[in-house]
Amino acid sequence: MITKHNRTRLQQNLSLMTKATVLLAMFVAAGGVPSAFGQSTLTSELVFPLDQRHNHAPGIVELENGELLVSWYRGSGERKADDVAVYGARKPVGSKTWSDPFRMVDTPGFPDCNTCMMIDRHNRLCLYWPVIIANTWESCLTFYKVSDQPTGKGSPEWSDGGVILLKPEDFGPKAIQVLDEEIAKLPTQLADAYSTELSDLRELLTQKLYQRLGWQPRCKPTVLPSGRILLPLYSDTYSICIMAISDDDGAHWYASKPLIGFGNIQPAVLRRDDGTLIAYMRENGPRKHIRVCESKDDGITWGPVTESVLVNPGSGLDGVRLKNGHWLLVYNDTQKGRNSLAVSISTDEGRSWKWTRHLERQEEGSYHYPAVIQGSDGTIHVVYSYFVTGGKSMKHASFDEAWVQQGKKD
């Protein structure tokens, strides 16, 4: 039996619960959510203070103990600067700041450039990067290092490493065919203006040396349900892509068929539920849109390279499949300049992009070459090159899907 006293107390409790619910709803609408509900606010910070040296092309992983590790290259330039080395920094669990940068890899006398990383199924850290042999992109070889116990302070202790040598089947005739088809679509005057360059490209496409050299990484590997590792690589010699494939946890590698679009580089690979692989690529030509290519056989062969609806100014991108099956892409959403860095989400495996929100949207500066992962707690982590008037750094941003969904909806 409910007495008058109990009824009054019940009404007071219900009133308090209603107020709490309203306050929580207001808090959520304002962009703040308690950690138990996720992180629908954006948190960002520089990995290290602005630096006058060239700091560029990051990778990011979450280690087994929950700490974040970021890699990038640093030096007085890029391929032409022999002092360039791979650096890293750590962010321990619960910390708001990053460790001081430390050197992870240095090949004395040669530039070490674009970095990417992964944690394999044995919880080993794998780092991939190109060593530039003759100060040209065409002369690079992709190297790797493996750490069995990557946690701790400073650089991981490396237990294995080497070079990924690829011997693709001769793709010259097919590539020349695609090149001629692309040229036929161009205005005659434009094609004539580049006749010397096109003649040189045709010659390079017939040479084994350049088919086997010059492949370098940018985006993280994709691991298929079978355990197959696809390490996306690209060639600035030809402006095309290829996949380095390993079916034995990285002990041996072989080459896929190339993704030939003459302007498509730096692929990020996502997998649909039906097994189709989609490669999203930087546009390095005149189209000003992200390039796309599909594989139906786990990355061995690839279809024609086409264009997506998403714009691109000639800048790197990255993507991740979220735990709920949604896809997330980070890219510069302009046709010129790198001063706007967007995050878009697809709920239909890349067929459309429903929400977009910006990590950066400034009048000046370059915010580019993102690397993205989703942590074990569901938090999305993006690290990207941050270039402003005062210097260069890496910037780290963390958020969840709800933060993106508060942005523009298509």
Side-chain angles (χ1 to χ4, degrees), residues 37 48 75 122 126 145 172 178 184 191 206 222 240 247 285 295 305 310 312 323 351 359 405:
F37 291 86
F48 54 89
H122 304 294
C126 304
K145 283 191 177 293
V178 175
T206 68
T222 295
I240 65 175
D247 293 318
S295 172
V305 176
L310 302 175
N312 183 261
K323 298 178 189 298
R351 296 174 179 86
L359 295 173
Q405 291 173 351

Side-chain angles (χ1 to χ4, degrees), residues 288-353:
K288 304 302 181 183
H289 282 79
I290 290 174
R291 307 295 292 280
V292 182
C293 193
E294 296 187 5
S295 172
K296 299 286 189 178
D297 57 5
D298 287 349
I300 301 295
T301 63
W302 294 82
V305 176
T306 59
E307 301 174 24
S308 78
V309 297
L310 302 175
V311 297
N312 183 261
S315 181
L317 53 86
D318 198 16
V320 66
R321 180 187 171 107
L322 302 179
K323 298 178 189 298
N324 63 3
H326 295 174
W327 289 14
L328 183 145
L329 205 63
V330 189
Y331 60 103
N332 293 112
D333 62 332
T334 62
Q335 291 194 340
K336 183 178 180 181
R338 301 178 178 182
N339 56 315
S340 179
L341 186 63
V343 180
S344 292
I345 288 179
S346 171
T347 59
D348 56 7
E349 298 186 315
R351 296 174 179 86
S352 64
W353 298 91

